[in-house]
């Protein structure tokens, strides 16, 4: 589900500021914000884990890594998740059920420089099938919402703007999705980010 303009500018800029502050607390450590290196090569997106960190080597969510505790998810983010689920629940009853007890156990902050993209994938690391709540701040981007079976067509391309929220729950929880393209220099003033794009996803990890 796409909620256009769900985040007002003060909320966007507060999220950016909190993400910056949290990134600073782990700078230089094993959990520093970085471009993950996968078997397929280095990603173009810089990632910061909050709450839990997905450890690619052992394929599990961990609460600490390299002797460093994963920074906590700010309380404001959990309140925001509940608020967004309640809003989405008014349009889709199956999401309403999550509004009260959803736990933001992990929050992933992705920073996309102008030339970054993210390939088609499923978010399949969580044991829970609770919805993933995805926030966009900064530059506009194409979000490719695919099908549950393949990385290829059929898919739908959505243009996401700063302040947009996408929630994937229910049958769409397992859909392939990606971000093939950013539109540089489209970040609106007031969003807290002058270049590139920040995506924050809220995830409930445990059943
Ligand atoms: O940047 C986005 O909108 C999507 C990010 C995403 O799919 C992920 O972090 O798993
Ligand atoms: Fe994803």
């Amino acid at each position: 589900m796409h909620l256009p303009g769900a985040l007002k500018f003060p909320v966007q800029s507060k999220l950016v500021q909190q993400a910056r502050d949290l990134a600073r607390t782990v700078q230089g450590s094993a959990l520093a914000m970085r471009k993950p290196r996968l078997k397929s090569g280095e990603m173009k997106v810089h990632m910061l884990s909050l709450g839990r960190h997905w450890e690619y080597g052992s394929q599990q969510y961990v609460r600490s890594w390299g002797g460093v505790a994963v920074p906590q998810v700010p309380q404001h983010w959990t309140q925001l998740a509940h608020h967004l689920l309640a809003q989405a629940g008014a349009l889709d009853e199956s999401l309403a059920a999550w509004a009260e007890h959803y736990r933001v156990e992990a929050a992933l902050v992705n920073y996309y420089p102008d030339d970054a993209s993210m390939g088609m994938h499923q978010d399949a690391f969580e044991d829970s099938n609770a919805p993933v709540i995805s926030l966009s701040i900064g530059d506009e981007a194409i979000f490719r919402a695919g099908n549950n079976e393949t990385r290829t067509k059929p898919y739908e391309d959505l243009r996401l703007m700063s302040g947009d929220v996408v929630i994937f729950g229910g049958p769409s929880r397992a859909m392939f999705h990606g971000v093939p393209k950013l539109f540089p220099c489209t970040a609106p003033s007031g969003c807290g980010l002058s270049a590139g794009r920040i995506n924050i996803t809220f995830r409930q990890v445990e059943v």
Side-chain angles (χ1 to χ4, degrees):
M1 172 181 302
H2 181 197
L3 299 172
L7 310 170
K8 305 286 170 244
F9 282 139
V11 177
Q12 295 175 44
S13 56
K14 182 173 175 181
L15 288 164
V16 173
Q17 191 53 52
Q18 287 178 306
R20 276 202 185 107
D21 291 346
L22 287 161
R24 211 161 281 134
T25 67
V26 288
Q27 227 168 39
S29 84
L31 288 168
M33 190 160 193
R34 62 157 60 85
K35 297 190 272 187
R37 251 176 243 114
L38 309 179
K39 270 177 258 157
S40 48
E42 190 178 65
M43 289 186 74
K44 293 178 185 161
V45 178
H46 303 248
M47 296 188 175
L48 172 72
S49 301
L50 304 175
R52 313 275 170 98
H53 171 69
W54 178 256
E55 213 280 288
Y56 286 96
S58 58
Q59 295 280 299
Q60 58 183 331
Y61 270 109
V62 296
R63 291 165 193 264
S64 70
W65 180 243
V68 186
V70 182
Q72 282 188 5
V73 177
Q75 231 165 42
H76 162 235
W77 295 20
T78 298
Q79 286 160 5
L80 181 60
H82 290 177
H83 169 77
L84 292 167
L85 285 168
Q87 205 174 314
L91 307 168
D92 176 348
E93 217 173 287
S94 71
L95 292 172
W98 289 104
E100 275 165 42
H101 57 272
Y102 185 86
R103 303 187 302 273
V104 184
E105 290 164 332
L108 179 65
V109 180
N110 291 323
Y111 175 71
Y112 293 72
D114 278 354
D115 63 343
S117 58
M118 189 181 284
M120 294 295 276
H121 66 279
Q122 289 170 305
D123 287 7
F125 299 150
E126 299 75 28
D127 292 331
S128 168
N129 65 356
V132 170
I133 304 168
S134 174
L135 320 179
S136 291
I137 303 171
D139 280 345
E140 293 170 21
I142 298 290
F143 179 79
R144 183 160 289 175
N147 59 79
N148 288 359
E149 283 79 38
T150 70
R151 291 186 154 70
T152 55
K153 286 182 180 176
Y155 49 66
E156 185 191 353
D157 282 350
L158 293 173
R159 187 164 175 144
L160 296 184
M161 322 259 283
S162 196
D164 283 10
V165 172
V166 173
I167 300 182
F168 24 128
S172 68
R173 178 67 178 79
M175 79 180 175
F176 281 92
H177 58 279
V179 179
K181 185 179 160 54
L182 244 67
F183 298 92
C185 306
T186 52
S189 62
C191 76
L193 197 63
S194 55
R197 169 175 184 263
I198 285 184
N199 163 261
I200 302 176
T201 42
F202 299 149
R203 298 153 191 267
Q204 179 171 319
V205 172
E206 286 166 21
V207 178

